[in-house]
Amino acid sequence: MTTRRPFPLAKVYGLLETGPVILLTTAHKERRNVMTLSWHLMMEFEPPLVGCIVSDRNYSFSLLKAAKSCVINIPTVELAEKVVRCGNTTGARTDKFKRFGLTPLPAQKVAAPLIGECYASLECRVADTRMVAKYGLFVLEVVQAWIDPGVKDPRTLHHRGHGRFMVGGKTIRLRSRMK
Amino acid sequence: MTTRRPFPLAKVYGLLETGPVILLTTAHKERRNVMTLSWHLMMEFEPPLVGCIVSDRNYSFSLLKAAKSCVINIPTVELAEKVVRCGNTTGARTDKFKRFGLTPLPAQKVAAPLIGECYASLECRVADTRMVAKYGLFVLEVVQAWIDPGVKDPRTLHHRGHGRFMVGGKTIRLRSRMK
């Protein structure tokens, strides 16, 4: 993703409200991880707030709690195999970046790395943890967004369960007053 | 949707974690409404919990709070025009079912109607309102699910902002241990 550019925070909702599978990266001290997840939602336009479920059974949970930050990376279908391998593997004994050939790039505002192979990356700070104990729901504020401007109609992955993924299709336009 | 059948609650996550636009129906006393929304996420597999943002600026807000229940209906691309018209219109002065030609069908366990034209409908009870004041986030428990079993690869709508919708494309299968 050598061509990535800053992306306006006000437009971040359009990247996530389609519901793509994301790769959540975390880092704290000597540890880092990549986690595949689909359970996220937009909660506010600007500053963009994103809710994400990270269970305490996930290795990323302790990294996210400790670092209080992360990066949401959005892969496209070319990465499908790596997305699944990240989801099938725990980071407790494996550096998934090395094992699966994902390129960590330094973020600007958080410790976790961007993933070079993803077309968009959103640097986030943890904004609210009050729903973590009961639901594993972290409220994240996106503080810096990056995009590959060459990707206009990203063929994102959308999990249907048990290894089935719907791949993002064509985009249609309708006359809408909705933001 | 004359062919709709009960759908196992344990499989509901696979319908929603792809991130489709949904039509949320509510009803209380003489009032009812349909609301278009994209800001939702899965929070638990079983019983299925779904988080949904409904702002207090939406007409559906007071109905959802009063009835403590609703139906999540999932439209496909054939309904795109009606989905947008529902999103462009407030229910305060309009019965959207009549105006846009949507067929209300009786639900089994809640007051709000199913939408006959949608391929899946999830009857929900409000399970937790503690995040409503701050974020408009309702935690819903799905108590009864319905599906048109003839729809195998639903061409769902995924909002990209300002009238642009990604239409669900083909489904691929990978070897995954993820649920």
Side-chain angles (χ1 to χ4, degrees), chain A residues 13-14 17-20 36 38-45 49 51-53 77 80-81 83-84 87-89 127-128 130-131 134-135 137 139 152-179, chain B residues 13-14 17-20 36 38-45 49 51-53 77 80-81 83-84 87-89 127-128 130-131 134-135 137 139 152-179:
Chain A
Y13 74 94
E17 71 175 61
T18 59
T36 299
S38 293
W39 289 14
H40 60 78
L41 90 168
M42 287 303 305
M43 298 180 68
E44 188 53 81
F45 286 107
L49 295 182
C52 251
I53 306 275
V77 64
E81 190 63 45
V83 164
V84 169
N88 283 346
T89 312
D128 192 335
R130 281 174 296 177
M131 294 158 279
K134 181 152 190 187
Y135 297 110
L137 180 66
V139 180
K152 296 299 183 199
D153 291 310
R155 298 187 67 213
T156 42
L157 295 163
H158 301 257
H159 192 230
R160 299 183 65 187
H162 298 289
R164 294 190 308 153
F165 294 85
M166 181 273 280
V167 180
K170 67 172 182 174
T171 290
I172 60 174
R173 282 167 191 271
L174 288 102
R175 195 167 299 181
S176 171
R177 287 195 293 271
M178 290 181 286
K179 190 171 182 179
Chain B
Y13 74 95
E17 72 175 62
T18 59
T36 299
S38 294
W39 290 14
H40 60 80
L41 88 168
M42 287 303 305
M43 299 179 68
E44 188 54 81
F45 287 107
L49 294 182
C52 250
I53 305 276
V77 65
E81 189 64 44
V83 165
V84 169
N88 284 346
T89 312
D128 191 335
R130 280 174 296 175
M131 295 158 278
K134 182 153 189 187
Y135 297 110
L137 180 67
V139 180
K152 295 298 183 202
D153 290 312
R155 299 187 66 213
T156 42
L157 295 163
H158 300 258
H159 193 229
R160 299 183 64 185
H162 298 289
R164 294 190 308 152
F165 294 85
M166 180 274 278
V167 180
K170 67 171 182 176
T171 291
I172 59 174
R173 282 167 190 272
L174 288 102
R175 195 167 300 183
S176 171
R177 286 195 294 269
M178 292 182 283
K179 188 172 183 179

Side-chain angles (χ1 to χ4, degrees), chain A residues 95-146:
Chain A
D95 182 324
K96 299 190 198 177
F97 290 94
K98 288 183 183 167
R99 182 154 170 200
F100 303 132
L102 294 169
T103 309
L105 300 174
Q108 189 174 94
K109 296 183 178 171
V110 303
L114 317 179
I115 295 178
E117 288 78 11
C118 287
Y119 90 98
S121 292
L122 312 173
E123 302 183 22
C124 300
R125 294 207 182 100
V126 174
D128 192 335
T129 58
R130 281 174 296 177
M131 294 158 279
V132 170
K134 181 152 190 187
Y135 297 110
L137 180 66
F138 289 83
V139 180
L140 309 172
E141 178 181 338
V142 181
V143 293
Q144 175 71 47
W146 302 97

